Amino acid sequence: MTEPLLMVRSLSKHFVSGNETVPVIDGLSFTLGQGQSMALTGRSGSGKSTLLNLLCGLELPDAGTITLHNQVFEAGDAAVRRKATAWPALRRQHIGVVFQEANLMPALSLLDNVRLRAQLAGRDPANSEDWLARLDIGELARRYPDQVSGGQRQRAALAMVFAMEPALILADEPTGSLDRHTADEVTRVLFDLQARHGCGLILATHDAELAAGCQQHLDLGHLTGV
Ligand SMILES: Nc1ncnc2c1ncn2[C@@H]1O[C@H](COP(=O)(O)OP(=O)(O)O)[C@@H](O)[C@H]1O
Ligand SMILES: [Mg+2]
C-alpha cells in the first residue's frame, strides 16, 4: 500500500496577542492520500492560512507531528533546526503554494517566472512555455506581470506551481481576488491539472462550490469559539 502524502497528528498552534493566548489550531489530525484534494473552510480568522503555513514550514507548531512526502516534522526544539534545513528544500522541490494574489517577480516576464520556478525545483525549464499555453496564456509569455490582468497573473502563478511538478499544492483562497467568471476558469484549470498530474491539493476557500469540487472537506469554523 502506498504511504499517504500527508499525515497530521494532534497538531496545535497558538498565537500570543498582548497578555492573551489565542489557540488557533487545537489537536487537529487528518490524512491526505496521494493525489487527493481537500477543501479547507471556516470563517475568516478560523486558522486556514495558519494551517497552510504549518504545512509548508513557514510556521512551527506548538505540538503534534506532520509527516509529508515521507519526512517527519515533530514539534519541539528539533523542529527549529528542521525548519532551517528540511522545510525550505521541501518547499522548493515538492510543495507548490498559491496565494490569493499571484506573487510573481515583477522584473521577469511570465515565461521567465515559470522557468525560474522550475529551475529552483530542479525540473527541466524547457516545458515552461507549454505550461503557459496549457493555462491559455501562451501568447502572453513575454509580457511582464504588470502588463497582464489579475486572472492572467493567477494563471501564471499556477503555471509556476505545475512546472515544479509538486507532490502537494497548497492554495490559500486562490480565486479570492478574481471575478466569478475568471475564478471559475482558474478553478477548472486547477482541478483539471491536479487530477491529471496526481498531486495532492489543499484549498482554503470561502466558496462552497469550490469546496464541493474537492474529495475531502475540513471545516475549521468551529475552532473560533465565538
Ligand atoms: N502572526 C500572528 N500573530 C498573532 N496572531 C496571528 C498571527 N497569524 C494569525 N493570527 C491569528 O490567528 C487566527 C487565525 O488566522 P488565520 O490563520 O489568518 O485565519 P484565516 O486564514 O482562516 O482567516 C486569527 O485570530 C489571527 O488574528
Ligand atoms: Mg487566510
Side-chain angles (χ1 to χ4, degrees), residues 44 55-56 59 67 72 78 82 85 134 142 148 153-154 166 169-170 177 192:
S44 183
L55 295 179
C56 63
E59 294 278 4
T67 308
V72 183
R82 296 277 280 164
T85 54
R134 285 163 82 169
R142 263 95 195 160
V148 301
R153 273 196 294 278
Q154 200 58 309
I169 297 176
L170 302 175
S177 65
D192 184 43

Side-chain angles (χ1 to χ4, degrees), residues 2-225:
T2 43
E3 288 294 306
L5 172 62
L6 170 68
M7 277 188 293
V8 171
R9 294 291 173 265
S10 308
L11 193 71
S12 296
K13 176 72 182 174
H14 76 274
F15 290 109
V16 176
S17 168
N19 294 329
E20 228 187 308
T21 298
V22 184
V24 180
I25 306 287
D26 189 11
L28 181 68
S29 298
F30 66 88
T31 300
L32 187 76
Q34 305 279 350
Q36 296 271 299
S37 60
M38 189 177 89
L40 192 59
T41 59
R43 69 192 105 173
S44 183
S46 60
K48 302 181 295 298
S49 296
T50 302
L51 178 58
L52 294 179
N53 287 339
L54 289 165
L55 295 179
C56 63
L58 293 175
E59 294 278 4
L60 291 174
D62 305 320
T65 309
I66 296 169
T67 308
L68 174 56
H69 207 251
N70 298 320
Q71 297 205 48
V72 183
F73 297 92
E74 240 173 304
D77 289 346
V80 178
R81 290 194 295 279
R82 296 277 280 164
K83 183 174 180 177
T85 54
W87 274 119
L90 201 57
R91 270 202 305 276
R92 197 165 54 244
Q93 292 168 9
H94 301 296
I95 309 176
V97 184
V98 191
F99 297 100
Q100 188 166 344
E101 302 277 348
N103 54 346
L104 309 179
M105 302 276 280
L108 297 181
S109 67
L110 301 191
L111 178 59
D112 284 341
N113 267 281
V114 179
R115 291 175 61 87
L116 178 65
R117 192 67 195 81
Q119 277 168 325
L120 286 172
R123 312 288 182 244
D124 183 356
N127 300 325
S128 300
E129 209 148 4
D130 283 351
W131 279 111
L132 289 170
R134 285 163 82 169
L135 283 142
D136 274 339
I137 49 171
E139 75 284 8
L140 305 177
R142 263 95 195 160
R143 292 218 199 157
Y144 289 84
D146 66 349
Q147 296 172 331
V148 301
S149 71
Q152 290 163 340
R153 273 196 294 278
Q154 200 58 309
R155 283 168 188 261
L158 288 180
M160 286 166 70
V161 162
F162 284 109
M164 66 175 285
E165 299 167 29
L168 175 65
I169 297 176
L170 302 175
D172 197 352
E173 306 192 33
T175 59
S177 65
L178 304 178
D179 65 75
R180 182 81 239 179
H181 175 75
T182 312
D184 286 348
E185 278 290 304
V186 167
T187 304
R188 189 184 53 74
V189 170
L190 178 63
F191 281 127
D192 184 43
L193 292 178
Q194 182 258 332
R196 224 180 310 164
H197 293 273
C199 51
L201 170 68
I202 300 183
L203 176 69
T205 182
H206 283 116
D207 187 327
E209 253 181 69
L210 237 160
C214 294
Q215 290 151 326
Q216 295 182 48
H217 189 175
L218 177 64
D219 185 8
L220 296 179
H222 61 288
L223 295 174
T224 52

